[in-house]
Amino acid sequence: MYEDLKYWYLRDHKLFRTLSYSQIKQLCIITGFKKASKGEIIYFSTSDIPRIFLLKKGNIKIVAIDDDGNETIKDIIQKGDLFGELTLESDNKNEEYAKVLSDDVAICSFLMSDFEDLLLKNPTLALSYTKFVGLKMKRIKNSYANLISKDAKTRLYQFLKDWAEQEGIWSGNLVTIENYLTQNDIAQIICTSRQTATQLLNEMESKNLLNYNRKEIIITDITKI
Amino acid sequence: MYEDLKYWYLRDHKLFRTLSYSQIKQLCIITGFKKASKGEIIYFSTSDIPRIFLLKKGNIKIVAIDDDGNETIKDIIQKGDLFGELTLESDNKNEEYAKVLSDDVAICSFLMSDFEDLLLKNPTLALSYTKFVGLKMKRIKNSYANLISKDAKTRLYQFLKDWAEQEGIWSGNLVTIENYLTQNDIAQIICTSRQTATQLLNEMESKNLLNYNRKEIIITDITKI
DNA sequence: GGCTAAGTGTAAATTAGCCGACATTTTGCT
DNA sequence: AGCAAAATGTCGGCTAATTTACACTTAGCC
């Protein structure tokens, strides 16, 4: 990996726009730059030195396994997102892994300690990062608030709305979303069973609210969702 | 309010331990200092200048009202907690208010902009603050992960365990918690109906797992929860 | 002290949605 | 092309938990 290319990979992220070339180069001692393709599983080996990851391309999901062996989707990471121990607090006991959803992904990573040093030397970045983490928290709070005490249908609608807002291609009230999730994934995200999700999606399709297939979801009229 | 007293109110918080007297004094120029008693409702008037709050004494709950008029408990704030727009990003459309749960509370507040300035001048604080927010985020994630895909009983048990850990007075396996929540509050926190919560609590009482009254909850043997 | 409102106790009817058990379709692989 | 595996579609029974409805108890206030 050429230093310059690494530089651009980071520079590209809005969080790092305030940094100078030399500052980014500092981070770029980055060991990690990784490519992976659909279905691959990436472990954040707990023994390893704590890192922060930046997804440059594609989509992945973070999955946790509880004591009973149940899979729970903890997060969907999209292009441009930072992930990993954003808390800057390493956690030893997490049984988490990432699974690649899109055709292929590119991930860069850097050491948490390097990042911390950089934050200390660069107050503006520190503030941006603080806001970034805060925003992420707000998102989580909101999405959970929606999950709970609403029924499955409402949750699905809300999820689709969010998804459309984040990634949809809009033309008027018609929104097209690239669909890299299976119905099972969607079910897990909105915390319902696969069957219920399937049923609701079909119901929506028969009401002409949307058009579902494995490649894309076309929402006929976003205002009706 | 004497400057020095204000100073100590802030100084006392672990987040601000890294700051010098003069730095804290800067924040103190501000500032709201408010007392309120049980049942009182505190609005974060949206028109007002954005603030960050620090709860010095007592307990409050943050309640949100959705479009249908339903109340949802968003957060329980305990002594020493920072709250408000931790994201440092003011949000115009939140229908939130705080309700005092304990007999009385003391709250100080300072302007978000002042806090931001301080963060810029003090990267170490920024880093601590980010870690603090991150930790809070992790807590939320965990507690919500517990909320979902578990039944009401499990959620109640988990909630009691958490509560005991955070605020309980331990003597061996017996834990006493000062109870400033109603059964309705508890129900809302664990996302169930009041009746179900009542039923479960009574069931636990009849099994001698705990002892519930409006003043305190005594958990007979925390290891059995 | 006595009244009112808030908090708690209990029980039956109703329902959402989970679960198991399949059939069918699509995809990827050799 | 042909096969296996993954994804999707569909159904009915089952169960936890919400809802509705009402009685009782406690706390706070004049």
Side-chain angles (χ1 to χ4, degrees), chain B residues 4 26 43 46-47 52 58 61 68 78 82 95 98 112 117 120 124 146 156 169 177 183-185 193-194 198 202 223:
Chain B
D4 276 10
Q26 224 184 316
Y43 286 98
T46 46
S47 56
I52 303 227
K61 63 176 174 183
D68 309 336
Q78 291 159 0
L82 281 169
E95 286 289 338
M112 209 148 79
D117 287 347
L120 279 177
T124 316
N146 282 325
L156 177 60
I169 298 154
I177 306 169
Q183 295 189 354
N184 195 28
D185 285 334
S193 63
R194 199 222 85 223
T198 301
N202 288 336
T223 61

Side-chain angles (χ1 to χ4, degrees), chain B residues 38 103 177-180 213-217:
Chain B
K38 194 166 186 171
D103 284 340
I177 306 169
E178 187 207 335
N179 181 20
Y180 48 83
N213 69 55
R214 293 185 197 193
K215 292 279 175 214
E216 58 184 14
I217 297 175

